[in-house]
Amino acid sequence: MNRPTSGALARNAKPKVRPARPYFSSGPCAKPPGWSTEQLDTRVLGRSHRSGLGKQRLQLAIDLMRELLELPDTHRIGIVPGSDTGAYEMAMWTMLGARPVTTLAWESFGEGWVTDAVKQLKLAPTVVRAAYGQLPDLAQLDWSSDVLFTWNGTTSGVRVPDAEWIPANREGLSFADATSAVFAYPIDWTKIDVATFSWQKVLGGEGGHGVLILGPRAVERLESYVPDWPLPKVFRLVSKGKLAEGVFKGETINTPSMLAVEDAIYALEWAKRVGGLEALIARSTANSAALGKIVDERAWLNHLAADRATRSTTSVCLTLEGADEARIKAIAKLLEGEEVAYDIAGYRDAPPGLRIWCGATVDTADVEALGPWLDWAWEATAT
Ligand SMILES: Cc1ncc(COP(=O)(O)O)c(C=O)c1O
């Protein structure tokens, strides 16, 4: 493909309106509107996370997450090391192996959990796959096994529709990697035994820490089953045969970044101020609808996710008619250079396309302002 020339750039005029906040990355995602470092409570910085104040702030983060997620008392929630990957692998390493395993994969992150189960834990799981843009048949799963899935496939823009497909009377445990799903979709927690996420997605928090949610059946598994592989200290959730309850009260396994914790508290308090879970879901829905309108109005732009009912409202993945990776990169670079949209080239393993984050911390007006800029970049990169 020829690179855009200055002649091509001159063909169409630049739109007048730029998104006020060009932050459309799918993680770390846009900070909450109005965020600034000055707004963070810094009293705990330089203090021990095990001090009275440290524990109080960690507990506040936990309490706010519970409240905003509308998590029932049956489920525990704690902060663990290693971001979402750390939290999910902690769950895999501590609970799998007790019964057969089914792993679902329809994009890169789900595929990563398959690799862990097959190559690292050597579990010989049943692997249920679908191509990028599709969802596998969720009705055909064997729930006598533990089932691992990604609620929202961040690299393909395909999500599960809800939790209806998870039976109430399952024998196995459900493990949801919910990192780009929490705070964006309603979640029926009675269907979830394990869920994990990290703060840098829908909350616009910082990376580094994972959040682990455990239902009662997951706790039962932890207290009754000892895997026959070694567990590093950062994965250990059980002490003397009992769940390490401290983890769910802010007594973290190792030292957290209290700055990241304060940043998460800021984001959670913002979320409360704007109206809680319902408002977060509404913001993300409005953003993805605004982007959907832009797509519908352009013949050259399409969603990678085939079925509207299972299309992500957070990580929206788009294909551009006939555009190869080089053109996608050129478009993303042009838009970044214009400070119109940062980090919107699709994930490296996904089919070439754009990925535009529509989570709650993004403002709808900024998504709307993107449309004419996409036209501009599309034309500017035409050969
Ligand atoms: C679905 C999904 N799982 C896991 C991860 C990895 O998350 P983290 O970097 O917080 O470990 C991501 C990151 O984008 C993701 O989107």
Side-chain angles (χ1 to χ4, degrees):
M1 197 199 80
N2 295 333
R3 299 267 52 80
T5 62
S6 51
L9 283 172
R11 267 213 309 264
N12 59 336
K14 283 181 195 170
K16 294 211 166 46
V17 181
R18 282 182 163 72
R21 295 190 305 142
Y23 299 98
F24 296 107
S25 150
S26 291
C29 303
K31 291 293 189 191
W35 177 95
S36 72
T37 50
E38 286 74 41
Q39 313 230 15
L40 303 183
D41 186 332
T42 55
R43 286 171 302 149
V44 77
L45 302 189
R47 299 278 317 267
S48 166
H49 60 297
R50 311 237 184 248
S51 66
L53 181 60
K55 278 200 202 150
Q56 199 187 316
R57 300 304 286 175
L58 285 157
Q59 185 68 57
L60 176 61
I62 289 173
D63 292 345
L64 285 167
M65 288 191 288
R66 176 180 289 284
E67 183 184 344
L68 275 151
L69 288 170
E70 300 177 3
L71 196 65
D73 290 344
T74 47
H75 285 56
R76 288 166 174 83
I77 176 164
I79 300 165
V80 298
S83 216
D84 178 62
T85 309
Y88 203 74
E89 291 190 327
M90 171 187 259
M92 290 180 74
W93 259 253
T94 53
M95 284 176 257
L96 294 185
R99 52 170 61 240
V101 176
T102 300
T103 52
L104 274 57
W106 57 90
E107 50 79 65
S108 176
F109 288 105
E111 204 52 63
W113 309 137
V114 174
T115 302
D116 277 8
V118 174
K119 295 209 172 133
Q120 299 299 322
L121 296 176
K122 308 203 186 317
L123 286 170
T126 302
V127 182
V128 181
R129 286 194 170 89
Y132 274 87
Q134 310 284 328
L135 199 63
D137 185 357
L138 300 173
Q140 303 302 324
L141 304 172
D142 174 7
W143 280 98
S144 67
S145 68
D146 293 330
V147 176
L148 276 63
F149 70 100
T150 304
W151 192 291
N152 182 93
T154 319
T155 65
S156 74
V158 176
R159 64 174 167 103
V160 296
D162 47 40
E164 295 281 300
W165 54 283
I166 303 174
N169 63 350
R170 61 196 175 278
E171 289 171 58
L173 301 179
S174 59
F175 289 69
D177 168 2
T179 199
S180 50
V182 280
F183 306 108
Y185 307 119
I187 293 181
D188 176 357
W189 293 106
T190 66
K191 301 291 185 69
I192 301 298
D193 299 307
V194 177
T196 65
F197 68 94
S198 41
W199 290 329
Q200 71 272 21
K201 298 282 187 178
V202 181
L203 290 176
E206 289 298 299
H209 300 296
V211 178
L212 177 68
I213 294 173
L214 297 179
R217 297 178 62 245
V219 174
E220 195 184 308
R221 170 76 60 86
L222 283 166
E223 293 185 340
S224 62
Y225 164 72
V226 180
D228 57 12
W229 45 72
L231 282 181
K233 180 176 173 180
V234 287
F235 281 2
R236 273 178 245 154
L237 283 169
V238 173
S239 171
K240 299 190 183 113
K242 287 280 165 207
L243 184 73
E245 294 283 2
V247 171
F248 307 94
K249 294 183 195 141
E251 294 161 22
T252 49
I253 297 173
N254 62 345
T255 313
S257 157
M258 294 308 288
L259 187 54
V261 171
E262 288 300 337
D263 185 74
I265 291 172
Y266 176 85
L268 289 157
E269 286 179 336
W270 165 79
K272 251 183 99 165
R273 270 199 310 280
V274 298
L277 182 62
E278 206 182 317
L280 297 182
I281 294 172
R283 285 179 64 89
S284 179
T285 305
N287 289 340
S288 55
L291 186 54
K293 185 164 178 284
I294 291 171
V295 174
D296 289 347
E297 288 166 357
R298 288 156 179 82
W300 51 273
L301 208 47
N302 283 296
H303 284 98
L304 178 59
D307 180 1
R308 190 179 283 266
T310 55
R311 192 175 285 161
S312 173
T313 56
T314 57
S315 58
V316 181
C317 295
L318 306 177
T319 56
L320 285 67
E321 202 70 46
D324 61 6
E325 211 177 324
R327 186 166 180 194
I328 298 288
K329 276 193 181 155
I331 289 173
K333 199 171 162 204
L334 275 177
L335 294 175
E336 179 171 343
E338 290 291 335
E339 299 186 351
V340 160
Y342 295 146
D343 316 321
I344 62 165
Y347 193 72
R348 57 181 184 266
D349 298 335
L354 298 176
R355 182 171 57 155
I356 297 171
W357 185 255
C358 286
T361 56
V362 171
D363 288 314
T364 307
D366 288 343
V367 178
E368 286 165 347
L370 266 186
W373 282 100
L374 292 173
D375 294 333
W376 171 78
W378 180 245
E379 272 195 45
T381 56
T383 49

